[in-house]
Amino acid sequence: MLAAAGVGDADRVAVALRAGADIEARDEGRRTALLLAAASDRIEVARLLVAMGASPDALDDRHDTPWLVTGVTGSVPMLEALLPAGPDLTIRNRYGGVSIIPASERGHVDYVRRVAQTGIDIDHVNDLGWTALLEAVVLGDGGATHQEVVRVLLAAGADRSIADKDGVTALEHARTRGYTAMAAILEG
């Protein structure tokens, strides 16, 4: 079942489940079928597993879950496939972040826009002392994609005054990096 989930073979997953496979079975990395499907963006498999009761919150040995992986991949269809399972939006990844933080860092605009509507804490501070807004600036490239992430976060109510562990705000980071357009957005 795990191999079938990873390659997106929903029929083989269904057959395995009918034959009695454990829906929460784990591989050597403690990944479930749903996590493998989420990481590979296998939407049909994810929908099947969610309909059968698979957990979107099952942690693997890297402290990833199917839900957290959506922030890394930026897959809005996978986000939508997992929402009916009621994922815990407060589960933290190995860096102490929630899914909106890696999505912001990676410039996944559509994902950030959609996940901001779920009730996720857009001002969550990870173990590095960064919010999604800070990550979009500090780890982004200052270009159009990360500028749009900043706009989306601000429109969703992100607090631009939250500073990092050193007391530096997103605006100050943007100015230091020479991200003039991004700084203008943050000045609002």
Side-chain angles (χ1 to χ4, degrees), residues 22 33 39 148 158:
D22 177 3
E148 186 61 19

Side-chain angles (χ1 to χ4, degrees), residues 46-109:
R47 285 187 184 128
L48 169 65
L49 291 167
V50 165
M52 298 301 292
S55 174
D57 303 327
L59 287 163
D60 71 359
D61 63 2
R62 293 175 25 114
H63 215 270
D64 279 329
T65 69
W67 176 257
L68 287 172
V69 165
T70 65
V72 175
T73 65
S75 175
V76 174
M78 185 59 71
L79 173 153
E80 297 292 356
L82 295 179
L83 278 178
D88 181 347
L89 305 180
T90 67
I91 290 181
R92 299 173 181 200
N93 62 23
R94 63 190 165 279
Y95 303 107
V98 294
S99 69
I100 197 168
I101 294 178
S104 297
E105 171 227 328
R106 293 166 185 255
H108 296 313
V109 177

Side-chain angles (χ1 to χ4, degrees), residues 1 64 102 114 134 170:
M1 180 181 68
D64 279 329
R114 178 60 183 99
L134 281 160

Side-chain angles (χ1 to χ4, degrees), residues 130 134 137-138 164 168-179:
W130 294 339
L134 281 160
V137 176
V138 174
D164 65 16
V168 182
T169 66
L171 175 58
E172 293 168 309
H173 277 291
R175 287 178 178 155
T176 300
R177 287 167 170 70
Y179 298 164

Side-chain angles (χ1 to χ4, degrees), residues 92-184:
R92 299 173 181 200
N93 62 23
R94 63 190 165 279
Y95 303 107
V98 294
S99 69
I100 197 168
I101 294 178
S104 297
E105 171 227 328
R106 293 166 185 255
H108 296 313
V109 177
D110 292 336
Y111 182 93
V112 172
R113 184 176 288 114
R114 178 60 183 99
V115 80
Q117 299 168 4
T118 65
I120 198 163
D121 180 4
I122 59 173
D123 288 326
H124 174 83
V125 179
N126 67 13
D127 294 343
L128 300 171
W130 294 339
T131 62
L133 186 61
L134 281 160
E135 285 227 1
V137 176
V138 174
L139 298 177
D141 62 8
T145 299
H146 285 98
Q147 290 169 33
E148 186 61 19
V149 167
V150 168
R151 281 188 196 93
V152 169
L153 290 168
L154 292 173
D159 184 348
R160 68 184 87 218
S161 71
I162 297 175
D164 65 16
K165 287 181 178 179
D166 297 319
V168 182
T169 66
L171 175 58
E172 293 168 309
H173 277 291
R175 287 178 178 155
T176 300
R177 287 167 170 70
Y179 298 164
T180 308
M182 192 175 276

